[in-house]
Amino acid sequence: MSPFDLQYYPAQMNVLGIETSCDETGVAVYSTERGLVADALHSQVDLHAMYGGVVPEIASRDHIRCLLPLVEQVLGDAGIDRPDAIAYTAGPGLVGALMVGSGLANGLGLAWGCPVVPVHHMEGHLLAPMLEDDPPQYPFLALLVSGGHSMLIRVGGLGDYHVLGTTLDDAVGEAFDKTAILLGLGYPGGPALAALAEEGDDAAFALPRPMLNRPGLDFSFSGLKTAVMLLVRKAKDEGSLAERRADIAASFQRAAVDTLVGRALQAAKREDLERIVVAGGVGANKLLRKEIAERFDGQVYYPRMAYCTDNGAMIAVAGALRLADAHQVAEIRAQARWSLDTLSPPGN
Ligand code: KG4
Ligand code: ZN
């Protein structure tokens, strides 16, 4: 079944998607008839690794360097001279980085005379499973887990988002990244920590499952982070860190995943939802994907691994679904903060 509402599509539309909110330059073309037709990504990970995190100024400069060549590349791959519409990430994210995508999208829109759609980055993540052959039907519960967010959202339809729970402190991806740094794994640590955890015993250390026994649906990861920090300090003092690293990584990953899955199951039950979408960078975590599929009675949907982390394809498909929001007049938007709760259905 197509996720599209045909009223917006008098004809087939090729939508160019541009993502520059953080440290990946992502560009893609999504056809409302043929699906994803071209996709390219440039990761800045190597540029930021030596600083242990994303340096905003470096991110903006690298987007400037890479964006236009990537646009030319995907248009070539899609076999088109120009798209019918352009979607870009307007926030939330690093303002300088967002400005690069926003500026180019609006400039190209003016030059080509085509409509431009501003897209919310987290809505892009949330809609990424719409790129798959078997997209979820509404309503569903979305577990959005990335470097900047940990959220549970009741999704009633496109643009109908009710945030049920959010993190009170660190996002879960941030907790993965900080734990990875403590274990000497560098940046970005999530994938490296998950790989190390596969070699360890996840029952080696009893770490807290924060908030699970508290009412409400919020998350908190700072207590878990502190517990790992104390563990690492103790292992260092005892000279045993090298041999305990994998066990610490596995115990941390198990505690973080138990917390996410536990809260998601509570939310699905409370809201009486039969479908869960897991999206965002941490959605690439294999243990999370396995656990939620095993423990949830209903259907679980994920984007493929490559579309869990930041990419242009999710912005292109979100833009295609939001064509009713397109504007013809240049309107450069770049919002560092932007709550998903404030979105409304397309055309409103
Ligand atoms: O969605 P994303 O690419 O960027 C943001 O919008 O933040 O998410 C990046 C986050 C990072 O914190 C990264 O460490 C984490 O996702 N991540 C993972 C895995 N792959 C990426 N965390 C745990 N396990 C993974 N396999
Ligand atoms: Zn993201």
Side-chain angles (χ1 to χ4, degrees):
M1 209 210 78
S2 163
F4 291 97
D5 178 342
L6 289 174
Q7 67 174 311
Y8 300 131
Y9 303 101
Q12 188 237 338
M13 300 278 281
N14 286 313
V15 182
L16 176 71
I18 293 177
E19 157 61 36
T20 64
S21 67
C22 191
D23 59 348
E24 324 267 357
T25 318
V27 184
V29 174
Y30 187 87
S31 150
T32 53
E33 203 173 72
R34 292 183 293 147
L36 190 68
V37 285
D39 177 29
L41 187 78
H42 168 75
S43 171
Q44 303 179 353
V45 160
D46 294 346
L47 292 178
H48 302 290
M50 65 184 287
Y51 301 101
V54 178
V55 182
E57 179 66 18
I58 294 177
S60 311
R61 286 172 188 236
D62 201 58
H63 287 308
I64 292 173
R65 191 174 68 83
C66 295
L67 187 53
L68 199 50
L70 281 184
V71 168
E72 286 173 339
Q73 182 188 324
V74 296
L75 291 180
D77 292 347
I80 54 175
D81 292 333
R82 60 178 64 177
D84 304 301
I86 304 171
Y88 70 96
T89 304
L94 303 170
V95 165
L98 290 166
M99 289 286 285
V100 179
S102 180
L104 188 73
N106 280 282
L108 290 175
L110 276 179
W112 287 333
C114 69
V116 177
V117 192
V119 171
H120 190 293
H121 180 78
M122 298 312 289
E123 184 179 49
H125 276 303
L126 188 152
L127 296 174
M130 301 301 180
L131 291 160
E132 304 303 326
D133 290 340
D134 178 24
Q137 306 257 348
Y138 302 111
F140 57 78
L141 175 76
L143 173 64
L144 278 190
V145 277
S146 72
H149 296 86
S150 312
M151 290 194 281
L152 282 164
I153 300 150
R154 184 192 169 90
V155 179
L158 185 64
D160 175 6
Y161 307 133
H162 180 53
V163 178
L164 305 168
T166 187
T167 184
L168 302 178
D169 37 56
D170 289 1
V172 63
E174 207 177 337
F176 267 89
D177 293 339
K178 287 180 179 167
T179 302
I181 287 174
L182 282 176
L183 294 175
L185 294 170
Y187 173 87
L193 190 137
L196 180 63
E198 282 185 21
E199 296 161 25
D201 171 8
D202 65 8
F205 300 102
L207 289 170
R209 269 69 173 153
M211 309 283 285
L212 263 190
N213 297 324
R214 302 228 190 119
L217 293 168
D218 287 329
F219 299 102
S220 161
F221 289 99
S222 65
L224 176 58
K225 197 183 65 186
T226 308
V228 176
M229 201 177 72
L230 295 174
L231 215 56
V232 170
R233 197 176 290 166
K234 187 159 171 277
K236 258 188 195 158
D237 289 348
E238 290 169 359
S240 64
L241 185 59
E243 75 232 39
R244 302 316 302 267
R245 272 167 88 232
D247 289 345
I248 295 174
S251 302
F252 164 82
Q253 177 177 249
R254 170 61 66 180
V257 165
D258 276 356
T259 306
L260 294 176
V261 175
R263 271 299 198 225
L265 297 185
Q266 289 170 351
K269 190 168 174 204
R270 196 188 91 180
E271 296 291 312
D272 196 19
L273 291 167
E274 290 162 8
R275 288 171 285 267
I276 298 183
V277 160
V278 183
V282 183
N285 186 275
K286 282 193 213 144
L287 183 68
L288 173 62
R289 291 165 92 104
K290 180 173 150 286
E291 285 290 309
I292 203 158
E294 277 176 17
R295 289 172 53 189
F296 182 53
D297 282 342
Q299 192 73 28
V300 184
Y301 299 82
Y302 328 86
R304 74 197 78 162
M305 291 286 194
Y307 300 144
C308 281
T309 44
D310 293 349
N311 64 85
M314 68 184 193
I315 302 304
V317 73
L321 288 162
R322 281 202 169 269
L323 279 173
D325 290 342
H327 49 80
Q328 295 281 352
V329 179
E331 188 190 299
I332 295 181
R333 275 181 64 179
Q335 273 172 254
R337 291 176 174 274
W338 184 5
S339 165
L340 198 61
D341 258 339
T342 62
L343 296 194
S344 44
N348 288 285

